[in-house]
Every structure is written in structure tokens, then in C-alpha cells.
Amino acid sequence: MDDFTNVTYLSLEGHVELEKYRYVYFVITLTVYLLIICCNAVVISVIYTNKRLHEPMYIFIAALLCNALFGTTGLFPKLLSDFLCEKQVISYGACLFQAFWIYIYAGTEFTLLSAMAYDRYVSICKPLQYATLVKMSTVKKLICFCWLLPSCQNCISTVLAYRLQLCKFKLNRIYCNTYSIVKLSCGDVTANNSYGLFSSSLNIFPPLFFIIYSYVRILDVCLKNSKDFRRKALQTCFPHLIIFISFSVTSCFEIINSRLEGNIPHIINMIMSVENMVIPPLINPIIYGLKLQEIFKIIKKTIWKEKNFFSLKF
């Protein structure tokens, strides 16, 4: 607590040998962050600037990549700042806001992946009804819903955390999450834990069951059709499936990590806590850029044009 400004500060104690590897951490983290920004921005700009890609599947991809940029903005700038500061502290309000920001990213990722599964399901299983069921107006509504639902859910958990009286001020993490903040309280946290469990279940299990159902139906349709049909269907579904599995696994690691912090090595704790905001945002644009032929062709064509331009110039 700062007695002069009446602001509560929390100390982030999760850094490993920061004094020794401060600049190494900074360079690696900055490189990863710049790669995430560049890779996602390239694919988003390709979709935005090419009208033939203004279709539901590509709009959902752009929304997913925008969400990755949104989520990483909640982590990397503060993390980079901490690497260069003598003290790794954050105000209580800013800590709650960071947790709120990151949880919206995670919840939106699951809902967007569900919307993308619906798009693939209708496209493959009900192709004659696709234009009717997946109109651009429907896509806009789905994307708004994908952002709005996690935002409302996390507003409640943030308000519940804000009302708590803290009796500890050290977080054994490198960024804030709601569950860790709740553990600093010396009061009754039954409501927080109950709602947290409910909210996490709502974020994970409905999308999980719907995506599994969608892919079971897609697989059934593929098995009944030609080899060429299966190849085209899997070409559009495979990137989505990889990304869904990757994000689900890293999310499970983070949930387990936040509850079993004392039972596994601290360095593993820290790696597990950030991988959900490093691995998916880094591999998503690479997977979509390489696996989806339309996007890959445009990126390749753009690079070739730039190469020819510079060769002619110099």
C-alpha cells in the first residue's frame, strides 16, 4: 500500500533469476512479440485487402488473429517493462484489468473457434444451405457474440475480486490472473471460487462438445464422399483442428498450473503460465498462411512482387 496516494500495489514475484538474465529475457520476449505482431498483421492485411477473401471462413480467421493481438497486448508490454525495472510491481486496479483483459482473450478464443467449427460444419455438411445459414450479417452477429459473452462473464468475476480485502500483496507470477488475486484475500472467497468454476466450465465445455460434434458430422460426410472431396474438406478443417487442440491443451495447462503452483518446479510454472499467450498467437497465422491455399498464394505473390521490385530498383 502506498500511503501517500492510497493505491494498493502488488509485487510480481514469479520472475526467475531476473537480475542475471534481465536483458536476455527482454530480447527474447521482444523478438517473440514482434514476430506475433508481424505474422498476425500480415495475414489480417491479406484478408482485409483482398475482396475475394471477404467470405465467412476468412472473416472468422481475421477475427481470431485480431483476438491474438488483443490478448498479447495484455501481457507483453507490461512484461517487457518489468524486465527493465528494478521492482516488478503493479497497482491492484491495473492487476485486475490485466486479468480481465487476458481472460476475455481466452474466452473469446474458445467462442470464435466454435463459430469457425459451425462455419465448416454448414459448409461441408449442408452446402446447399450455406448461403442462407451463414450470411455476412450472421457472421457479424456471431463475432459480436463471441466478444460480448466472455466480456460479460469476466466483468462479474472482476467485480467479485475487486470487493475482496487483501491481506497479502505478493503474486508468485509474472502477470495477473483472477484466481491468483483471489488467493491473496483473507476473507470469504466462496462466491469467487464458485463463479470462477462456473465461468471456466461455460467457456470450455460447450465449445468443446460443439466442436467435437461438428467434426464427427464432418468426418461422417467425408467418409461418404469422394477422395477429392475429403482432401478439400480436410484442407480447410485441418488448420482449425490443430489450433483448437493447441489452445485447449495450453488452456488446460494454465488452469492446472494456477491451482497446483506449489507442487511443480517454479520454472515450469512460469513457462506453463505464458504459453497460452505465446504458442497459439505465434502458430495460428503460420498455420493459416501455409495451409490455406488462397492466403498462401497471395502472400507468396506479394513477396515475389516485392522481390522483383527491389531487384529492378537496385
Side-chain angles (χ1 to χ4, degrees):
M1 173 77 77
D2 189 321
D3 295 328
F4 296 101
T5 59
N6 200 33
V7 175
T8 300
Y9 286 95
L10 304 179
S11 176
L12 299 170
E13 303 284 332
H15 296 277
V16 179
E17 295 190 70
L18 185 57
E19 290 298 325
K20 187 176 180 181
Y21 299 110
R22 181 186 302 277
Y23 297 108
V24 175
Y25 290 158
F26 181 84
V27 171
I28 292 172
T29 305
L30 181 61
T31 303
V32 170
Y33 189 37
L34 291 175
L35 277 173
I36 288 170
I37 292 172
C38 291
C39 292
N40 283 277
V42 166
V43 179
I44 291 167
S45 63
V46 165
I47 294 169
Y48 180 76
T49 55
N50 289 270
K51 289 187 177 180
R52 72 171 181 269
L53 298 182
H54 292 183
E55 297 175 5
M57 181 177 76
Y58 298 107
I59 299 298
F60 282 126
I61 291 170
L64 190 75
L65 301 185
C66 284
N67 186 55
L69 291 177
F70 171 86
T72 52
T73 303
L75 171 69
F76 282 91
K78 170 60 179 167
L79 193 57
L80 289 167
S81 173
D82 283 343
F83 289 150
L84 299 180
C85 292
E86 288 300 317
K87 293 183 179 180
Q88 291 69 50
V89 296
I90 186 170
S91 70
Y92 183 41
C95 193
L96 284 171
F97 183 72
Q98 186 183 49
F100 174 72
W101 189 294
I102 290 170
Y103 277 23
I104 288 177
Y105 154 72
T108 302
E109 195 86 354
F110 273 115
T111 50
L112 280 172
L113 288 169
S114 301
M116 293 171 76
Y118 171 73
D119 173 68
R120 293 298 83 210
Y121 163 72
V122 177
S123 175
I124 295 167
C125 300
K126 300 180 180 182
L128 299 177
Q129 298 173 267
Y130 185 78
T132 306
L133 293 174
V134 191
K135 296 182 288 188
M136 286 307 295
S137 59
T138 306
V139 172
K140 290 174 184 176
K141 289 174 185 175
L142 281 172
I143 290 174
C144 287
F145 175 78
C146 288
W147 282 85
L148 189 61
L149 179 63
S151 299
C152 293
Q153 285 179 318
N154 287 296
C155 272
I156 297 171
S157 61
T158 303
V159 169
L160 287 172
Y162 182 75
R163 69 180 180 82
L164 295 173
Q165 181 68 41
L166 302 185
C167 55
K168 290 178 281 186
F169 301 94
K170 291 183 179 181
L171 280 171
N172 194 30
R173 298 180 63 85
I174 59 175
Y175 70 91
C176 300
N177 73 0
T178 307
Y179 185 76
S180 297
I181 295 170
V182 168
K183 290 198 294 185
L184 299 179
S185 172
C186 45
D188 184 16
V189 295
T190 304
N192 299 78
N193 289 333
S194 299
Y195 182 77
L197 184 61
F198 166 76
S199 182
S200 298
S201 301
L202 192 61
N203 276 329
I204 296 171
F205 292 113
L208 176 65
F209 293 143
F210 178 75
I211 291 170
I212 291 171
Y213 169 78
S214 299
Y215 274 100
V216 168
R217 293 295 305 274
I218 287 169
L219 184 62
D220 183 52
V221 170
C222 286
L223 292 173
K224 293 176 182 177
N225 281 276
S226 66
K227 188 176 181 180
D228 187 56
F229 179 91
R230 289 198 295 272
R231 182 184 62 79
K232 289 179 179 178
L234 291 175
Q235 190 179 53
T236 59
C237 291
F238 190 60
H240 175 266
L241 194 57
I242 290 174
I243 287 164
F244 170 68
I245 292 170
S246 167
F247 192 77
S248 297
V249 169
T250 52
S251 294
C252 288
F253 279 169
E254 169 56 8
I255 291 169
I256 293 167
N257 169 51
S258 63
R259 283 156 177 76
L260 301 176
E261 285 180 344
N263 299 333
I264 54 179
H266 181 68
I267 185 66
I268 304 299
N269 263 326
M270 294 305 101
I271 293 170
M272 288 168 65
S273 71
V274 297
E275 64 180 348
N276 209 22
M277 284 172 289
V278 174
I279 295 173
L282 198 54
I283 68 169
N284 289 5
I286 295 170
I287 289 171
Y288 279 121
L290 294 176
K291 285 293 181 182
L292 293 185
Q293 289 300 312
E294 284 296 318
I295 294 176
F296 180 67
K297 284 177 185 176
I298 293 169
I299 293 173
K300 190 177 178 181
K301 188 178 178 182
T302 304
I303 293 170
W304 185 254
K305 278 184 179 179
E306 291 293 328
K307 187 178 179 181
N308 287 340
F309 173 77
F310 283 110
S311 63
L312 288 171
K313 191 174 180 180
F314 296 103

